[in-house]
């Protein structure tokens, strides 16, 4: 048991001892003074108001004011104070300006707790939400104060206040309230997300929205949707309806997903992968299929020497720019099968010829692939987005270098000419951690992948552990933007959507804990899983 758990148990034992001693004294008094005292005692409330009105929670959980605060992810700083604490009661209100920027947060919290909203000054028992600048908050940090029967949640941004309310809500569920004291909390990394492969396996919009609610409770703030692959193109298209697979997400469903995500302070990141993973598109455009000198198709690979390929992909990028408003755009760039050949120039002479034509003597297929991704990055930058690519689309050497203004999603060290993460960091490139040893949930466990366990993430992984199990040097910490946990549907029938949700439940919670605070957790794994089960988010 962790230090907090032991301390809470000690307080509970002391409290139980006091209750027993009090009961004995009252019994003696009753015998001595008779029915009058008993009648007076009967008029006392059997329980505190917050005890009667708290949401459902395990019967064995102790009252909130006697327990240190808990949450997933755990608060980074807790300063206990002497006082009665705060509990949810029949007179509790959520107080915020009804016309102000926190109106939506106040409405949400009031609905979750089943209490009223108010614009009046806060009174004992109330929860007050306020925007208040504090350099310790950053963009997403918050302060949560329980003092003299009041609770206040303050932050410099709406997102910060929202995260404070998530901590408060979890403590109401677990303990019925908050002990007297101050929580100060902020994330270690600005990017904390989940990737869903909706291309290989259609995942219904309602299921995705359930994941958004789950993510929000865990203070995750990014959802990446891998929309296109060899097995399917799973999003409605008006410019190229011929490439769309059934079933797929409609644009109205995507709009609903984005609206919900934004209300939960989650950014949706689209991924239209190229020049590989385009098998579904190539079924409708077989003339753009890349073939070697023997006429054999390179799986999923589009012929990047053909100008029509760029027109097709750029047209899709521009179409979806109006649908996805977020600042990031994932371009893929991984696993272009032409580069798997022992001699790409000999196997794909058309690509080699185009490379020399475009980039001069000495350029090869790898340069053409690098240039392709540079051009797609230019398109999304023109659309006001920051491009992101997989690290195996970042090729070392050659005539053409990857452009500088992009984020690198680092998932592997197994690609051709594998580059360790330190190389990218030394170049000053921002990295997002997708460490496949810990953060890849690949359906069916193909090609050596195994389902990650929450315990391994909880005990071994941290945002600086980009490859294998060893962290990169601390000097690079500022360039590691954060991490995403990825669900890949390679063998789509291996699990149902419901089985996926259950399979990632504990890994996602462990991930949320460590990307919020990479330090060794105070709670033991068994305590952590018990809390996760009780909170039920």
């Amino acid at each position: 048991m962790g230090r907090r758990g032991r301390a809470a148990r000690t307080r509970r034992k002391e409290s139980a001892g006091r209750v027993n001693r009090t009961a004995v004294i009252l019994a003696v008094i009753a015998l001595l003074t008779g029915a009058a005292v008993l009648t007076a005692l009967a008029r006392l409330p059997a329980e505190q108001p917050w005890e009667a009105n708290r949401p459902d929670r395990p019967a064995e959980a102790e009252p909130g004011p006697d327990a240190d605060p808990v949450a997933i992810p755990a608060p980074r700083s807790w300063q206990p104070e002497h006082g009665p604490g705060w509990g949810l009661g029949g007179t509790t209100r959520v107080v915020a300006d009804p016309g102000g920027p926190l109106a939506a947060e106040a409405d949400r919290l009031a609905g979750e707790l089943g209490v009223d909203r108010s614009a009046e000054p806060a009174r004992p028992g109330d929860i007050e939400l306020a925007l208040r600048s504090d350099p310790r908050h950053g963009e997403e940090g918050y302060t949560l104060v329980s003092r003299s029967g009041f609770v206040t949640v303050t932050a410099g941004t709406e997102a910060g206040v929202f995260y404070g309310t998530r901590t408060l809500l979890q403590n109401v569920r677990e303990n019925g309230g908050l002990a007297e004291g101050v929580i100060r909390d902020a994330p270690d990394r600005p990017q904390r997300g989940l990737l869903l492969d909706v291309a290989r396996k259609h995942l219904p919009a309602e299921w995705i929205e359930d994941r958004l609610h789950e993510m929000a409770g865990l203070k995750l703030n990014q959802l990446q949707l891998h929309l296109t692959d060899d097995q399917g193109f799973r999003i409605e298209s008006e410019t190229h309806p011929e490439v769309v697979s059934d079933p797929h997400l409609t644009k109205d469903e995507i709009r609903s997903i984005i609206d919900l995500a934004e209300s939960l302070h989650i950014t949706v990141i689209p991924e239209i992968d190229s020049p590989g993973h385009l098998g579904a598109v190539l079924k409708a455009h077989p003339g753009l299929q890349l073939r070697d000198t023997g006429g054999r198709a390179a799986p999923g690979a589009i012929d990047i020497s053909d100008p029509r390929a760029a027109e097709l992909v750029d047209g899709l990028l521009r179409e979806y720019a109006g649908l996805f408003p977020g600042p990031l755009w994932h371009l893929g760039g991984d696993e272009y099968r032409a580069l798997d050949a022992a001699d790409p120039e000999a196997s794909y002479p058309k690509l080699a010829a185009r490379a020399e034509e475009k980039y001069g003597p000495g350029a090869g297929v790898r340069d053409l692939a690098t240039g392709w991704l540079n051009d797609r990055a230019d398109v999304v930058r023109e659309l006001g987005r920051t491009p992101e690519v997989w690290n195996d689309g970042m090729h070392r050497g050659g005539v053409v270098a990857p452009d500088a203004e992009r984020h690198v999603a680092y998932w592997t060290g197994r690609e051709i000419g594998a580059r360790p993460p330190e190389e990218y960091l030394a170049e000053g490139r921002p990295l997002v951690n997708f460490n496949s040893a810990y953060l890849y949930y690949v359906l069916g466990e193909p090609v050596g992948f195994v389902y990650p366990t929450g315990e391994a993430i909880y005990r071994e992984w941290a945002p600086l552990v980009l490859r294998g199990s060893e962290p990169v040097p601390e000097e690079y910490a500022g360039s590691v933007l954060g991490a995403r946990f990825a669900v890949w549907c390679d063998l789509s029938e291996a699990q149902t959507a419901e089985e996926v949700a259950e399979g990632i439940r504990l890994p996602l919670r462990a991930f949320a804990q460590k990307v919020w605070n990479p330090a060794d957790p105070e709670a033991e794994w068994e305590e952590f899983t018990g809390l996760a089960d009780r909170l039920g988010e």
Side-chain angles (χ1 to χ4, degrees):
M1 176 176 290
R3 294 189 291 276
R4 291 181 179 178
R6 287 191 293 270
R9 179 166 294 181
T10 298
R11 286 194 297 273
R12 290 195 293 268
K13 289 180 179 178
E14 293 173 351
S15 176
R18 288 193 297 270
V19 170
N20 290 336
R21 290 192 296 272
T22 301
V24 172
I25 293 169
L26 289 175
V28 172
I29 293 173
L31 290 172
L32 295 175
T33 61
V37 171
L38 289 176
T39 301
L41 290 173
R43 296 193 184 102
L44 294 177
E47 54 188 14
Q48 296 294 325
W50 57 266
E51 180 78 20
N53 292 279
R54 71 175 63 177
D56 291 338
R57 63 183 182 87
E60 68 272 12
E62 294 296 324
D66 290 333
D68 286 349
V70 294
I72 297 176
R76 300 188 73 173
S77 170
W78 162 242
Q79 295 175 315
E81 298 176 355
H82 294 292
W86 170 89
L88 182 67
T91 62
T92 296
R93 306 171 303 169
V94 178
V95 177
D97 181 355
L102 296 178
E105 303 304 342
D107 289 343
R108 185 200 326 273
L109 184 62
E112 291 166 331
L113 295 176
V115 302
D116 291 335
R117 279 270 283 108
S118 177
E120 299 174 357
R123 65 192 184 199
D126 285 348
I127 304 161
E128 184 174 14
L129 310 183
L131 291 175
R132 191 174 301 156
S133 296
D134 186 328
R136 294 170 293 188
H137 287 154
E139 289 296 315
E140 298 175 293
Y142 64 91
T143 297
L144 178 54
V145 179
S146 170
R147 187 175 290 149
S148 302
F150 294 86
V151 166
T152 58
V153 183
T154 59
T157 64
E158 295 168 41
V161 170
F162 174 70
Y163 294 139
T165 66
R166 298 309 88 189
T167 297
L168 177 62
L169 183 63
Q170 289 189 22
N171 277 278
V172 170
R173 288 174 177 166
E174 173 69 358
N175 295 318
L178 276 174
E180 194 94 351
V182 180
I183 293 172
R184 290 188 176 88
D185 201 10
D188 183 71
R189 302 287 145 173
Q191 294 195 25
R192 309 176 304 280
L194 173 67
L195 177 150
L196 295 176
D197 174 7
V198 299
R200 294 182 178 94
K201 182 181 184 69
H202 174 66
L203 296 171
E206 295 83 0
W207 188 91
I208 295 171
E209 291 179 352
D210 286 344
R211 302 288 74 70
L212 286 170
H213 285 293
E214 182 180 16
M215 292 168 62
L218 299 171
K219 303 183 178 73
L220 302 178
N221 65 0
Q222 292 180 329
L223 174 67
Q224 180 176 335
L225 295 177
H226 180 78
L227 295 162
T228 66
D229 216 300
D230 297 344
Q231 295 82 354
F233 190 101
R234 304 285 181 189
I235 180 172
E236 176 186 354
S237 173
E238 295 164 355
T239 62
H240 290 283
E242 75 282 357
V243 306
V244 179
S245 306
D246 283 320
H248 60 267
L249 295 168
T250 68
K251 286 189 174 181
D252 282 344
E253 287 176 324
I254 290 289
R255 291 186 186 99
S256 295
I257 288 168
I258 291 171
D259 287 346
L260 176 60
E262 289 183 340
S263 75
L264 298 172
H265 305 280
I266 295 171
T267 298
V268 179
I269 304 169
E271 181 186 353
I272 306 293
D273 204 345
S274 77
H277 294 282
L278 286 172
V281 170
L282 293 171
K283 289 177 183 176
H285 293 271
L288 295 177
Q289 172 70 62
L290 179 66
R291 298 182 182 277
D292 65 13
T293 53
R296 293 178 292 271
I302 201 166
D303 183 356
I304 59 177
S305 69
D306 191 326
R308 296 176 299 166
E311 292 173 7
L312 174 60
V313 172
D314 289 350
L316 292 167
L317 294 175
R318 291 191 170 95
E319 176 182 357
Y320 296 125
L323 183 62
F324 293 93
L328 296 174
W329 198 290
H330 203 297
L331 293 168
D334 59 314
E335 298 179 331
Y336 188 50
R337 296 305 180 190
L339 299 176
D340 289 344
D343 187 343
E345 286 68 36
S347 296
Y348 301 96
K350 188 178 177 183
L351 297 184
R354 177 58 179 155
E356 291 206 344
E357 177 187 350
K358 189 171 183 179
Y359 298 113
V365 175
R366 188 168 296 178
D367 295 298
L368 194 65
T370 297
W372 167 277
L373 212 52
N374 286 350
D375 291 343
R376 308 292 76 75
D378 285 342
V379 170
V380 298
R381 275 192 288 267
E382 290 169 6
L383 297 169
R385 310 303 201 275
T386 297
E388 181 177 277
V389 303
W390 297 112
N391 67 283
D392 49 335
M394 299 280 291
H395 308 299
R396 181 201 288 120
V399 174
V400 182
D403 59 33
E405 298 176 13
R406 63 174 67 169
H407 295 176
V408 179
Y410 192 93
W411 73 278
T412 183
R414 301 185 293 182
E415 76 276 17
I416 296 171
R419 303 175 63 190
E422 288 86 349
E423 279 197 24
Y424 301 95
L425 294 166
E427 293 172 1
R429 295 187 181 277
L431 260 61
V432 182
N433 190 331
F434 279 86
N435 188 332
S436 61
Y438 293 95
L439 307 181
Y440 263 34
Y441 190 93
V442 186
L443 266 60
E445 300 182 305
V447 295
F449 285 108
V450 295
Y451 293 129
T453 69
E455 186 171 4
I457 296 169
Y458 194 75
R459 295 184 187 280
E460 302 168 12
W461 180 82
L464 295 188
V465 180
L466 284 150
R467 177 176 172 181
S469 58
E470 293 300 319
V472 297
E474 188 67 30
E475 64 186 279
Y476 296 126
S479 294
V480 179
L481 302 177
R484 288 176 220 141
F485 185 91
V487 176
W488 294 107
C489 301
D490 291 41
L491 301 178
S492 61
E493 300 304 314
Q495 291 186 344
T496 65
E498 290 73 21
E499 288 171 332
V500 172
E502 177 57 28
I504 68 174
R505 187 178 67 88
L506 286 177
L508 193 63
R509 281 149 182 74
F511 167 78
Q513 172 62 45
K514 296 300 289 289
V515 77
W516 185 270
N517 182 0
D520 290 339
E522 290 191 7
E524 299 293 343
W525 173 244
E526 293 74 18
E527 288 182 273
F528 182 84
T529 57
L531 178 62
D533 291 342
R534 293 194 301 276
L535 292 177
E537 288 188 316

